[in-house]
Short mmCIF file of all heavy atoms in Angstrom, two decimals:
data_model
loop_
_atom_site.label_atom_id
_atom_site.label_comp_id
_atom_site.label_asym_id
_atom_site.label_seq_id
_atom_site.Cartn_x
_atom_site.Cartn_y
_atom_site.Cartn_z
N LEU A 209 0.51 25.42 24.04
CA LEU A 209 -0.50 26.51 23.82
C LEU A 209 0.30 27.71 23.25
O LEU A 209 -0.24 28.45 22.35
CB LEU A 209 -1.21 26.89 25.21
CG LEU A 209 -2.53 26.31 25.41
CD1 LEU A 209 -2.97 26.54 26.83
CD2 LEU A 209 -3.58 26.86 24.50
N ARG A 210 1.43 28.01 23.74
CA ARG A 210 2.18 29.13 23.30
C ARG A 210 2.52 29.03 21.70
O ARG A 210 2.29 30.00 20.94
CB ARG A 210 3.45 29.27 23.98
CG ARG A 210 3.44 29.98 25.46
CD ARG A 210 4.68 30.39 25.86
NE ARG A 210 4.69 30.91 27.24
CZ ARG A 210 4.29 32.08 27.61
NH1 ARG A 210 3.82 32.95 26.85
NH2 ARG A 210 4.38 32.36 28.93
N ALA A 211 2.93 27.76 21.36
CA ALA A 211 3.21 27.53 19.98
C ALA A 211 1.96 27.74 19.10
O ALA A 211 1.96 28.31 17.98
CB ALA A 211 3.76 26.19 19.82
N ALA A 212 0.81 27.23 19.66
CA ALA A 212 -0.49 27.32 18.83
C ALA A 212 -0.87 28.78 18.74
O ALA A 212 -1.34 29.31 17.70
CB ALA A 212 -1.58 26.56 19.50
N LEU A 213 -0.70 29.51 19.84
CA LEU A 213 -1.12 30.96 19.75
C LEU A 213 -0.20 31.83 18.80
O LEU A 213 -0.66 32.81 18.16
CB LEU A 213 -1.04 31.56 21.26
CG LEU A 213 -1.65 33.00 21.33
CD1 LEU A 213 -3.09 32.97 21.01
CD2 LEU A 213 -1.51 33.48 22.81
N THR A 214 1.11 31.36 18.66
CA THR A 214 1.96 32.01 17.70
C THR A 214 1.35 31.82 16.24
O THR A 214 1.48 32.80 15.40
CB THR A 214 3.36 31.32 17.70
OG1 THR A 214 3.89 31.56 19.05
CG2 THR A 214 4.24 31.95 16.66
N GLY A 215 0.83 30.69 15.97
CA GLY A 215 0.22 30.49 14.71
C GLY A 215 -1.09 31.22 14.38
O GLY A 215 -1.41 31.60 13.31
N PHE A 216 -1.89 31.43 15.54
CA PHE A 216 -3.12 32.21 15.46
C PHE A 216 -3.09 33.17 16.57
O PHE A 216 -3.80 33.14 17.63
CB PHE A 216 -4.32 31.25 15.61
CG PHE A 216 -4.40 30.18 14.54
CD1 PHE A 216 -3.78 29.04 14.54
CD2 PHE A 216 -5.19 30.52 13.42
CE1 PHE A 216 -3.78 28.10 13.49
CE2 PHE A 216 -5.31 29.55 12.33
CZ PHE A 216 -4.58 28.38 12.39
N PRO A 217 -2.36 34.34 16.41
CA PRO A 217 -2.10 35.25 17.52
C PRO A 217 -3.36 36.03 17.93
O PRO A 217 -3.34 36.67 18.95
CB PRO A 217 -1.07 36.14 17.01
CG PRO A 217 -1.17 36.11 15.45
CD PRO A 217 -1.60 34.69 15.16
N LEU A 218 -4.38 36.01 17.13
CA LEU A 218 -5.59 36.76 17.53
C LEU A 218 -6.77 35.77 17.93
O LEU A 218 -7.89 36.29 18.11
CB LEU A 218 -6.20 37.51 16.23
CG LEU A 218 -5.12 38.47 15.64
CD1 LEU A 218 -5.82 39.27 14.51
CD2 LEU A 218 -4.53 39.47 16.65
N SER A 219 -6.39 34.54 18.22
CA SER A 219 -7.39 33.60 18.67
C SER A 219 -7.70 33.86 20.18
O SER A 219 -6.85 33.60 21.05
CB SER A 219 -7.01 32.21 18.59
OG SER A 219 -7.83 31.24 19.19
N GLU A 220 -8.84 34.45 20.52
CA GLU A 220 -9.15 34.68 21.96
C GLU A 220 -9.36 33.36 22.70
O GLU A 220 -9.03 33.31 23.96
CB GLU A 220 -10.40 35.46 22.00
CG GLU A 220 -10.36 36.82 21.46
CD GLU A 220 -11.62 37.69 21.72
OE1 GLU A 220 -12.01 37.80 22.92
OE2 GLU A 220 -12.27 38.17 20.71
N ARG A 221 -9.81 32.36 22.04
CA ARG A 221 -9.97 31.01 22.79
C ARG A 221 -8.68 30.51 23.27
O ARG A 221 -8.57 30.09 24.33
CB ARG A 221 -10.77 30.10 21.87
CG ARG A 221 -11.14 28.83 22.62
CD ARG A 221 -12.00 27.92 21.82
NE ARG A 221 -12.51 26.72 22.68
CZ ARG A 221 -13.06 25.71 22.15
NH1 ARG A 221 -13.26 25.62 20.88
NH2 ARG A 221 -13.43 24.61 22.93
N LEU A 222 -7.62 30.53 22.30
CA LEU A 222 -6.33 30.04 22.61
C LEU A 222 -5.73 30.96 23.72
O LEU A 222 -5.11 30.43 24.73
CB LEU A 222 -5.44 29.98 21.47
CG LEU A 222 -5.76 28.85 20.36
CD1 LEU A 222 -4.89 29.02 19.13
CD2 LEU A 222 -5.52 27.51 21.06
N GLY A 223 -5.84 32.21 23.51
CA GLY A 223 -5.31 33.22 24.49
C GLY A 223 -5.90 33.06 25.87
O GLY A 223 -5.17 33.07 26.93
N THR A 224 -7.25 32.83 25.91
CA THR A 224 -7.89 32.63 27.24
C THR A 224 -7.41 31.40 27.88
O THR A 224 -7.14 31.34 29.12
CB THR A 224 -9.34 32.60 27.05
OG1 THR A 224 -9.78 33.85 26.48
CG2 THR A 224 -10.08 32.43 28.32
N ARG A 225 -7.30 30.25 27.11
CA ARG A 225 -6.81 29.01 27.78
C ARG A 225 -5.35 29.06 28.21
O ARG A 225 -5.09 28.62 29.26
CB ARG A 225 -7.01 27.87 26.78
CG ARG A 225 -8.46 27.48 26.44
CD ARG A 225 -9.16 26.87 27.77
NE ARG A 225 -10.55 26.88 27.59
CZ ARG A 225 -11.31 27.94 28.05
NH1 ARG A 225 -10.90 28.96 28.66
NH2 ARG A 225 -12.69 27.76 27.89
N LEU A 226 -4.52 29.80 27.56
CA LEU A 226 -3.15 30.01 27.93
C LEU A 226 -3.08 30.82 29.18
O LEU A 226 -2.36 30.47 30.17
CB LEU A 226 -2.41 30.55 26.86
CG LEU A 226 -0.81 30.95 27.17
CD1 LEU A 226 -0.09 29.70 27.61
CD2 LEU A 226 -0.15 31.62 25.97
N MET A 227 -3.94 31.83 29.34
CA MET A 227 -4.06 32.56 30.65
C MET A 227 -4.32 31.67 31.70
O MET A 227 -3.75 31.83 32.81
CB MET A 227 -5.10 33.75 30.39
CG MET A 227 -4.66 34.88 29.49
SD MET A 227 -5.97 36.02 29.29
CE MET A 227 -5.98 36.76 30.90
N LEU A 228 -5.43 30.92 31.51
CA LEU A 228 -5.83 30.11 32.61
C LEU A 228 -4.67 29.08 33.02
O LEU A 228 -4.67 28.76 34.32
CB LEU A 228 -7.12 29.33 32.23
CG LEU A 228 -8.38 30.17 32.06
CD1 LEU A 228 -9.53 29.42 31.40
CD2 LEU A 228 -8.94 30.53 33.48
N CYS A 229 -4.08 28.55 32.04
CA CYS A 229 -3.02 27.47 32.38
C CYS A 229 -1.94 28.18 33.05
O CYS A 229 -1.32 27.61 34.01
CB CYS A 229 -2.59 26.86 31.10
SG CYS A 229 -3.79 25.72 30.35
N LEU A 230 -1.47 29.38 32.69
CA LEU A 230 -0.41 30.04 33.30
C LEU A 230 -0.83 30.44 34.78
O LEU A 230 0.02 30.27 35.66
CB LEU A 230 0.01 31.32 32.57
CG LEU A 230 0.63 31.17 31.23
CD1 LEU A 230 0.75 32.36 30.39
CD2 LEU A 230 2.20 30.67 31.50
N TYR A 231 -2.05 30.85 34.90
CA TYR A 231 -2.54 31.18 36.23
C TYR A 231 -2.66 30.03 37.06
O TYR A 231 -2.22 30.07 38.27
CB TYR A 231 -3.87 31.91 36.17
CG TYR A 231 -4.43 32.49 37.43
CD1 TYR A 231 -3.55 33.29 38.27
CD2 TYR A 231 -5.67 32.19 37.85
CE1 TYR A 231 -4.17 33.87 39.45
CE2 TYR A 231 -6.23 32.70 39.01
CZ TYR A 231 -5.28 33.51 39.83
OH TYR A 231 -5.79 33.98 40.97
N GLN A 232 -3.05 28.84 36.60
CA GLN A 232 -3.09 27.64 37.33
C GLN A 232 -1.64 27.19 37.78
O GLN A 232 -1.54 26.53 38.75
CB GLN A 232 -3.68 26.51 36.39
CG GLN A 232 -4.18 25.24 37.08
CD GLN A 232 -4.83 24.35 36.14
OE1 GLN A 232 -4.25 23.96 35.10
NE2 GLN A 232 -6.02 23.87 36.45
#
Side-chain angles (χ1 to χ4, degrees):
L209 262 171
R210 282 196 188 280
L213 189 60
T214 300
F216 294 88
L218 304 183
S219 171
E220 291 185 60
R221 190 176 182 191
L222 288 175
T224 301
R225 290 295 163 266
L226 179 55
M227 289 176 66
L228 287 166
C229 292
L230 287 165
Y231 186 50
Q232 196 176 53

